[in-house]
Amino acid sequence: MGDFPIQISTRLIDRLTEDDEKVKKRTKKTKTRVPREPRLPETKVDQPQISDGSEQQKGTSTGTGWAVPPPLFMPVNQPPYSVSAELDAIRSVVKESENVVEKLRKQEKNMVQEVTQKAKDLHDKEFKIPEPKPMPCSVESNAWVTCYKENTNDLTKCAPLAQNFAECARRVRQLAKPAD
């Protein structure tokens, strides 16, 4: 296809603005016409002819009061708009956004671990289970219970072990009474 320049002239602008003015004039209230006899146009030699406005000179203003701009010439061989440059810019912004999101996810993960650890530490400090105290006289108790299981027919053999357990229990009770 052939390349050709585009030229916007003052004539074109004048025509376009006059069309708008004509439309505006048509929207005004119409007066009722009274039939009259047609007049013949009289032209005098001294008066300049009035044109329809399509041949106005350059630099004159239209009825709107705006100055007519000079014609606009578009370059014939315009470099093609680089769509790939715009796509590359968008891709770089998207990639940067993804990197920011990834950093935020890592930071969130670290914060979750930190908060979980602090909550666990606080829970352990607040609700620490007391260490169980060793049962007093457990050795003596285990000894006489084992003896009774082994000697079910003759329980008199276990009497000394039972007395040791009873004495131990009495000592523990005496030590506990002054503390109460």
Side-chain angles (χ1 to χ4, degrees), residues 42-148:
E42 297 178 21
T43 57
K44 293 184 180 179
V45 179
D46 296 341
Q47 291 180 346
Q49 285 189 337
I50 299 173
S51 63
D52 62 348
S54 63
E55 298 176 357
Q56 286 184 347
Q57 294 180 356
K58 227 182 195 181
T60 60
S61 60
T62 61
T64 59
W66 291 41
V68 177
L72 176 68
F73 294 100
M74 300 296 286
V76 176
N77 293 330
Q78 201 172 14
Y81 181 68
S82 177
V83 176
S84 62
E86 186 175 334
L87 287 176
D88 291 341
I90 292 172
R91 284 185 185 126
S92 67
V93 169
V94 168
K95 188 169 186 169
E96 185 178 328
S97 298
E98 288 172 351
N99 290 340
V100 169
V101 167
E102 189 62 33
K103 285 180 184 177
L104 288 174
R105 283 183 182 154
K106 287 179 183 178
Q107 189 178 22
E108 179 187 16
K109 187 177 180 181
N110 291 339
M111 288 180 77
V112 166
Q113 289 175 349
E114 185 179 327
V115 168
T116 303
Q117 183 63 36
K118 285 184 179 183
K120 185 179 178 183
D121 292 344
L122 182 63
H123 184 269
D124 290 345
K125 287 179 184 176
E126 194 71 28
F127 301 106
K128 188 174 184 180
I129 297 174
E131 293 182 21
K133 294 180 182 177
M135 185 173 170
C137 306
S138 62
V139 175
E140 290 84 1
S141 173
N142 288 340
W144 70 264
V145 169
T146 305
C147 183
Y148 277 147

